[in-house]
Amino acid sequence: MEITRLGIMGGTFNPIHLGHLMIAEEARQTFHLDRVLFIPSYITPNKNIDGATAEQRLAMTRLATADNPYFAVSDLEIRRKGRSYTIDTLRFLKKFYGPSYILYFISGTDTIQDLPQWYKPEEILSLCQFVGATRPDGTQSIGQVVEHFGELGKHILKLTVPTMQISSTELRHRIRSGLSVRYMMPKVVIEYIEKHGVYQCTAKNSRQPLKKI
């Protein structure tokens, strides 16, 4: 029976940025994933989503991943509506793809720290390999979480990635403040934000021509 490794990149992607893409690509290479599936959430429990609609976040995610043949995007959680619980998505994917697929849920260091407070975290770990992208200061926290789950902790895998201090919260702040976000997000995403006025974007600094000397 052929075993297929499927990466799952969940999140609000509000907006998606180069940090998300870098982590997904590092996970793909490190764990030999056949595909990484990006799944924008509809309503994330315990997290406010402001500035962009679900449809806009989905569109930006599709634009950002279009040039990578190993990346795909699903509107599963947006079509399902309601609160987007990871356990519901994993149950669906496990049933949809069947037992020959190994699921790798890809997350950041902060996400792993919160894992014990997630809805049904033990079942989540029983359904997938939980990949945690770590920064230099994140190793100890992951070790504590692994210990917390005992035997199930073996399903938590550490992924070391280059440090990239970019967050969607900071990007929204920069856009609203008229600061450049060039080299922080794919160009196609920046163009979409400007065209549709997402996050009340008013800045065109990166497009201003250089004054002649």
Side-chain angles (χ1 to χ4, degrees):
M1 180 182 296
E2 181 181 356
I3 302 297
T4 303
R5 296 167 176 253
L6 177 65
I8 302 162
M9 192 81 177
T12 58
F13 304 121
N14 188 32
I16 189 169
H17 54 71
L18 296 182
H20 295 131
L21 300 172
M22 178 187 69
I23 289 173
E25 181 68 2
E26 285 292 314
R28 182 189 70 80
Q29 294 184 98
T30 300
F31 300 106
H32 309 289
L33 306 180
D34 298 294
R35 189 68 61 88
V36 176
L37 186 63
F38 287 71
I39 308 179
S41 61
Y42 184 66
I43 298 176
T44 302
N46 303 319
K47 188 173 184 179
N48 294 324
I49 302 177
D50 67 323
T53 67
E55 290 72 22
Q56 288 173 329
R57 293 185 288 107
L58 176 65
M60 288 187 284
T61 304
R62 283 174 169 160
L63 287 169
T65 58
D67 65 344
N68 190 324
Y70 296 101
F71 289 173
V73 180
S74 170
D75 62 353
L76 167 65
E77 294 186 352
I78 292 176
R79 283 188 288 108
R80 191 169 62 210
K81 307 291 185 183
R83 294 186 178 274
S84 300
Y85 290 103
T86 298
I87 186 61
D88 293 331
T89 298
L90 289 174
R91 286 170 177 167
F92 175 85
L93 293 175
K94 200 71 174 178
K95 183 178 180 179
F96 182 82
Y97 287 109
S100 65
Y101 275 67
I102 301 177
L103 306 181
Y104 288 74
F105 188 88
I106 305 165
S107 66
T109 305
D110 296 339
T111 302
I112 298 175
Q113 293 172 358
D114 295 334
L115 183 58
Q117 284 73 52
W118 283 25
Y119 181 60
K120 296 186 179 297
E122 289 81 9
E123 186 178 353
I124 288 174
L125 292 178
S126 71
L127 292 174
C128 71
Q129 301 296 311
F130 201 94
V131 177
T134 65
R135 307 186 192 102
D137 61 350
T139 304
Q140 183 179 1
S141 296
I142 289 180
Q144 292 173 346
V145 174
V146 170
E147 184 177 350
H148 170 84
F149 286 104
E151 182 66 17
L152 280 173
K154 67 183 181 182
H155 291 273
I156 300 176
L157 309 176
K158 186 172 67 173
L159 173 69
T160 303
V161 297
T163 301
M164 183 177 287
Q165 299 292 345
I166 300 176
S167 73
S168 295
T169 300
E170 174 63 19
L171 289 174
R172 293 195 301 274
H173 172 74
R174 292 181 66 89
I175 292 168
R176 287 166 176 156
S177 301
L179 300 175
S180 173
V181 291
R182 196 173 188 180
Y183 308 122
M184 301 178 191
M185 293 188 292
K187 182 181 178 182
V188 289
V189 175
I190 296 174
E191 291 173 345
Y192 180 93
I193 288 171
E194 292 181 344
K195 178 180 179 180
H196 296 277
V198 188
Y199 313 117
Q200 301 175 359
C201 178
T202 59
K204 304 290 184 181
N205 292 343
S206 62
R207 294 188 175 184
Q208 291 178 357
L210 184 66
K211 291 183 180 180
K212 294 183 179 180
I213 299 175

